[in-house]
Amino acid sequence: MSSVATAGRIGAGSANLLMYGHLVVPRLARWSKDRTRGQVVVRRRDGKGIGFLDEGPGDRNAQGVLVNRGWIHAPAGQRGVPRFKSIDDRYQRRAMRKLLCQICPDPADRDERGVLWLIDRAHGSDRPSWPEGHITGHPPVCLRCAVISDLQCPALASRGYVAVRVRNPVPHGVSGALYEALPGGPALTVDGLTGLRVVHNPVVAQWDDREALPWILMGEATMTLNGCTVVDLREEYERARSAPTLAA
Ligand SMILES: [Zn+2]
């Protein structure tokens, strides 16, 4: 089998990876030279939630939730230092929506058992049925980047993780900052002065939470992982390498 034949499943070399020295930097991560797009959160005139002072098209998602405008990346080579623990919200939401790899721009790996996810054991893994029904803010991965994460990511190494095939990932809701209107505060006041305060950050709310969602500034999208099959990452990689493909 040619290398071209396997490229679709385990990646076409390192051409589309972001590097910092010898480290692969996930697309999901922010960089020190990222600039904020600027946003001022205000109480809506009708009193029924929050908005941006200069809100326009694209500031809400399909469900009408206000979304964080995120960050503007500096040009390649001028991005500064990667902030591995800080998330680029816009990329996270896009990766969840389109089931893209959280590390490179490729689609996440998928086979007959579902989409590939790496889930750390820190959250809920004492539940007998775990990871079935696990709710996550981490996008899935492609096979190549799953192996890279296994080798490189200190957070995964310290907490331990499982590789999971997910047959039915279902959009769950949002993770973001929950605002509250201060009693008697005027409408359309600027965040931090009067009228609004952040109650919890982050808070997680489901898509049907009509009470909370109007007051949340969405950062990340969350997903419920249904139809889970725990797999061995090394076996997955070998399986993909040896599988016949249409290009073979
Ligand atoms: Zn990838």
Side-chain angles (χ1 to χ4, degrees):
M1 183 168 55
S2 72
S3 60
V4 173
T6 57
R9 290 292 307 280
I10 58 177
S14 59
N16 64 356
L17 294 175
L18 292 176
M19 303 296 297
Y20 182 73
H22 66 283
L23 292 175
V24 175
V25 182
R27 301 274 162 164
L28 199 61
R30 283 187 43 213
W31 293 72
S32 60
K33 295 286 179 66
D34 288 350
R35 289 183 296 115
T36 176
R37 291 176 188 270
Q39 59 193 29
V40 176
V41 180
V42 297
R43 186 176 170 185
R44 281 170 36 167
R45 287 184 189 277
D46 61 10
K48 295 180 178 175
I50 56 172
F52 290 140
L53 188 62
D54 59 345
E55 187 174 324
D59 281 330
R60 294 183 183 269
N61 68 6
Q63 289 76 23
V65 180
L66 192 68
V67 294
N68 195 342
R69 287 176 176 168
W71 305 85
I72 301 170
H73 292 307
Q78 303 171 37
R79 291 178 172 171
V81 179
R83 306 291 193 208
F84 288 99
K85 293 183 179 177
S86 189
I87 301 297
D88 179 344
D89 292 345
R90 285 170 72 93
Y91 187 81
Q92 192 274 351
R93 294 191 297 263
R94 182 165 175 268
M96 283 297 213
R97 196 171 60 248
K98 296 176 174 280
L99 294 178
L100 303 177
C101 177
Q102 61 171 276
I103 294 170
C104 76
D106 289 343
D109 193 72
R110 181 193 292 266
D111 71 6
E112 71 280 4
R113 296 160 302 165
V115 179
L116 182 63
W117 248 275
L118 300 184
I119 310 174
D120 74 57
R121 291 184 178 276
H123 305 291
S125 59
D126 52 345
R127 188 162 49 85
S129 60
W130 190 85
E132 185 65 29
H134 180 72
I135 296 166
T136 185
H138 297 295
V141 285
C142 73
L143 260 177
R144 173 197 59 179
C145 293
V147 174
I148 291 172
S149 299
D150 178 59
L151 296 171
Q152 181 184 295
C153 181
L156 279 180
S158 66
R159 294 195 293 258
Y161 74 92
V162 294
V164 183
R165 292 281 180 188
V166 182
R167 194 183 302 277
N168 185 24
V170 178
H172 163 268
V174 310
S175 170
L178 176 65
Y179 284 76
E180 177 182 74
L182 296 173
L188 269 179
T189 50
V190 176
D191 179 25
L193 296 177
T194 59
L196 284 175
R197 72 184 178 107
V198 174
V199 192
H200 296 292
N201 187 19
V203 69
V204 174
Q206 283 188 260
W207 285 127
D208 60 357
D209 191 341
R210 295 179 181 217
E211 193 173 327
L213 287 178
W215 295 95
I216 290 178
L217 175 59
M218 179 181 181
E220 301 174 17
T222 52
M223 192 81 83
T224 303
L225 308 185
N226 294 330
C228 292
T229 305
V230 175
V231 296
D232 183 283
L233 190 54
R234 303 289 163 163
E235 287 177 12
E236 293 300 293
Y237 193 78
E238 290 307 318
R239 183 177 153 127
R241 271 167 51 92
S242 60
T245 71
L246 290 175

